[in-house]
C-alpha cells in the first residue's frame, strides 16, 4: 500500500517468492473448488508453482526454491561489474518483433501469437523500444520493472560472473 518509491515489491528477493506464493495460492484455490489438474505448465518462476501443482515438490520446497532464485537474481542485479539488463512486454508477433532487435536484445518469451517479452542490455533495450514506438503505430510496449535481463545470454553470463 506504500508509494512506488517506497515499495520493495519489484525487488527480486521479494518478487520471486511472492509470485510463487500467489501462483500456489491460486492453484490451491482451484483444487479446493474441485478443479484437479490433469497437466500443468509454467514458464520461468512459474515452473516452481507448476512443480508444486503437479505434486513434484511441497509448498515449502517451492517457496524455498523461489527464495533462493530471488537471492541469486538480487546478486546479479546488484553486481556493479556488469551493465544492467532489462525486459519489455511488446504487442507484436515474434516475426514482427525480430525486425526491431539489435545485438544484445533477444525475444525471451513468446506469450501469445501477438505478444513477446524482450530481454537484454538496458541501453540496447531502450533503443529497441524507441524504434518500436517511433513507427507511429499504436503498438503496446512497456518496460518491465526488473533489473535483470531474464532469459537472455546476458543473464546466463552474469550467473558465471557471480
Amino acid at each position: 500500500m506504500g508509494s512506488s518509491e517506497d515499495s520493495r515489491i519489484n525487488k527480486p528477493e521479494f518478487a520471486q517468492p511472492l509470485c510463487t506464493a500467489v501462483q500456489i495460492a491460486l492453484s490451491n484455490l482451484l483444487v479446493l473448488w474441485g478443479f484437479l489438474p490433469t497437466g500443468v505448465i509454467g514458464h520461468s518462476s512459474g515452473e516452481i508453482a507448476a512443480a508444486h501443482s503437479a505434486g513434484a515438490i511441497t509448498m515449502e520446497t517451492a517457496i524455498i526454491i523461489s527464495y533462493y532464485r530471488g537471492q541469486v537474481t538480487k546478486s546479479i542485479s546488484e553486481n556493479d561489474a556488469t551493465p544492467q539488463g532489462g525486459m519489455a512486454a511488446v504487442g507484436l508477433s515474434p516475426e514482427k518483433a525480430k525486425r526491431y532487435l539489435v545485438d544484445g536484445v533477444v525475444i525471451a518469451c513468446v506469450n501469445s501469437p501477438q505478444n513477446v517479452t524482450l530481454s537484454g542490455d538496458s541501453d540496447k533495450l531502450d533503443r529497441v523500444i524507441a524504434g518500436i514506438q517511433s513507427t507511429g503505430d499504436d503498438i503496446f510496449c512497456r518496460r518491465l520493472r526488473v533489473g535483470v535481463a531474464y532469459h537472455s545470454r546476458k543473464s546466463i553470463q552474469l550467473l558465471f560472473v557471480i
Side-chain angles (χ1 to χ4, degrees), residues 75-97:
S75 65
I76 291 171
S77 62
E78 291 178 348
N79 186 340
D80 292 335
T82 59
Q84 294 297 304
M87 300 181 79
V90 178
L92 289 173
S93 68
E95 295 76 27
K96 289 181 181 176

Side-chain angles (χ1 to χ4, degrees), residues 141-161:
C141 192
R142 183 180 73 204
R143 182 122 184 186
L144 303 180
R145 294 179 181 164
V146 296
V148 174
Y150 292 99
H151 311 295
S152 72
R153 278 181 281 181
K154 180 175 183 58
S155 64
I156 294 168
Q157 290 167 340
L158 290 176
L159 286 173
F160 290 106
V161 170

Side-chain angles (χ1 to χ4, degrees), residues 39-112:
V40 297
I41 189 168
H43 172 70
S44 192
S45 63
E47 294 168 354
I48 301 167
H52 165 69
S53 296
I57 59 175
T58 66
M59 185 171 15
E60 293 80 9
T61 299
I63 296 299
I64 291 168
I65 292 169
S66 64
Y67 167 81
Y68 283 111
R69 187 172 195 265
Q71 294 301 310
V72 168
T73 304
K74 174 185 175 187
S75 65
I76 291 171
S77 62
E78 291 178 348
N79 186 340
D80 292 335
T82 59
Q84 294 297 304
M87 300 181 79
V90 178
L92 289 173
S93 68
E95 295 76 27
K96 289 181 181 176
K98 286 178 188 175
R99 299 177 196 161
Y100 298 97
L101 298 181
V102 298
D103 188 39
V105 177
V106 298
I107 296 174
C109 181
V110 176
N111 303 308
S112 74

Side-chain angles (χ1 to χ4, degrees), residues 21-32 35 37 40 49 52-54:
V22 168
Q23 292 171 31
I24 288 172
L26 290 172
S27 175
N28 289 347
L29 182 62
L30 289 171
V31 170
L32 184 69
F35 297 98
V40 297
H52 165 69
S53 296

Side-chain angles (χ1 to χ4, degrees), residues 123-141:
D123 58 336
K124 294 177 181 178
L125 183 63
D126 287 339
R127 280 191 291 174
V128 170
I129 292 170
I132 293 168
Q133 292 174 334
S134 72
T135 64
D137 296 332
D138 190 23
I139 300 170
F140 175 81
C141 192

